[in-house]
Amino acid sequence: MDLKDRIANLVPDLLENQEHFLVDVVVGSGPRTGKILVLIDGDQGITIEDCARISRKLGGIIEEENLIEEKFLLEVSSPGLDHPLQHHRQMVKNQGRDVRIFPKEGEEIAGQLTKVTEDSLTILIIGKKKEPSSEKVIVIKDIDRIFVTVKFK
């Protein structure tokens, strides 16, 4: 089992709240070989204190089990706007927010995420000028990446 998988298996046991979940583990490569980024989220969000607590526990386990022999930088964080939504729970949590969807085929779709089912998303696409708004249903398995976007007024 590689380091990424080992850490991914450790994190769920460290989450004290069932609303929290692991999003991703990124183990650095190249000049960042000693960096480990653990992304966690929650159905109602995640706090800095939650991230710090997980970081302390996970760092202790990594050192205790000698999973990494050299120096390492461990960062536990919530995924920011630069990280795509990767789990169904994240999509549900972000209903009502603006998103950009990059389908596996076709052009980017931007709009408001209005509905999430097990296998599809409904996006409200706001019409421009005199065009009416429209809804588009997108099958989740046809999506390459989806990002939450922020509007500045």
Side-chain angles (χ1 to χ4, degrees), residues 135-153:
E135 284 192 336
K136 182 170 181 84
V137 177
I138 304 163
V139 177
I140 292 173
K141 69 179 183 174
D142 293 338
I143 297 172
D144 181 41
R145 293 168 297 157
I146 178 172
F147 292 90
V148 173
T149 59
V150 178
K151 285 186 180 178
F152 297 99
K153 295 182 179 186

Side-chain angles (χ1 to χ4, degrees), residues 96-146:
R97 297 189 72 186
D98 289 334
V99 294
R100 279 188 352 219
I101 297 174
F102 297 88
K104 291 179 181 173
E105 293 183 16
E107 296 195 18
E108 173 185 341
I109 302 160
Q112 184 183 48
L113 179 58
T114 58
K115 183 178 177 185
V116 179
T117 67
E118 282 300 313
D119 58 357
S120 69
L121 306 177
T122 302
I123 305 299
L124 175 65
I125 301 169
I126 305 298
K128 295 180 177 145
K129 297 188 180 183
K130 294 186 179 185
E131 292 178 14
S133 296
S134 63
E135 284 192 336
K136 182 170 181 84
V137 177
I138 304 163
V139 177
I140 292 173
K141 69 179 183 174
D142 293 338
I143 297 172
D144 181 41
R145 293 168 297 157
I146 178 172

